[in-house]
Amino acid sequence: MLTDVILPCLNEAAALPWVLDRMPPGYRAIVADNGSDDGSARIAAMLGAEVVRVPLRGFGAACHGGLLAAASELVCIMDADGSLDPADLPLVADRVLAGSADLVLGARRPDRRGAWPLHARIGNKAIASAVRRRTGVRLHDLGPMRTARRAGLLQLGLSDRRFGYPLEMVVRAAEAGWRIAEVEVPYRPRTGKSKVTGTVSGTLRTIRDMRRVLTA
């Protein structure tokens, strides 16, 4: 069964060749380009990925644009920056395929020093604790690699188009009674300049967007 892999993308030209080359058999890359000006869309198309141009800026906008373009029953979403290995996608997808979970998140396990900055880990832990208080779901990470069934995700009615999108997915899924699980996946330093977790300002912006979701 073919599984579409949504790769939200903003200026990831340096990372895409490795990411797309690591895509396992049976997984099809959909690069949701969010206004890149470094040739990311051209490189992705040249390497055989489907490219969807998403003009509305925002991480959630790119993710949702890719979700709308996907055609497979099962979909994966993962960062396109080289911090996650697409070869690990079956670890996240298998439990959904087996029917033992409805949403599976890849809990990041840094494989080397500096892969996950301290300020980002602290922010992630705070958000995970807030999710547990609101929904009762115990998570260690919000998991930038994740798998669920496409139809179910569309039925959740996700509306955030910024960095709150991944959190809104977890909150809405929990409220809908979904079985949410985690599996560990290796996490490596991203390729190129970080726009989110690698900077304090990016982490604070993400936390602000996520808090907006939690108080909605």
Side-chain angles (χ1 to χ4, degrees), residues 8 15 30 32 44 66 69 75 88 101 111 146 153 164 170 174 194 196 198:
I30 298 177
V75 294
D88 294 323
D111 69 354
R146 52 185 58 194
L153 289 176
V170 172
S194 176
V196 185

Side-chain angles (χ1 to χ4, degrees), residues 21-34:
D21 183 63
R22 296 286 295 173
M23 203 63 59
Y27 290 77
R28 181 177 73 116
I30 298 177
V31 174
D33 189 73
N34 203 207

Side-chain angles (χ1 to χ4, degrees), residues 1 3-4 6 67 70 72-77 89 92-97 101-105 145-154 156 158 169 173 178-180:
M1 182 176 68
T3 299
D4 286 333
I6 300 160
L67 180 63
S72 60
E73 178 185 353
L74 201 72
V75 294
C76 301
I77 302 174
L89 283 167
V92 182
D94 281 354
R95 290 192 61 179
V96 180
L97 282 170
D102 302 305
L103 173 64
V104 177
L105 311 177
M145 177 185 283
R146 52 185 58 194
T147 302
R149 298 191 184 278
R150 178 178 180 272
L153 289 176
L154 292 173
L156 291 179
L158 304 177
M169 183 185 297
W178 286 25
R179 297 163 299 168
I180 301 173

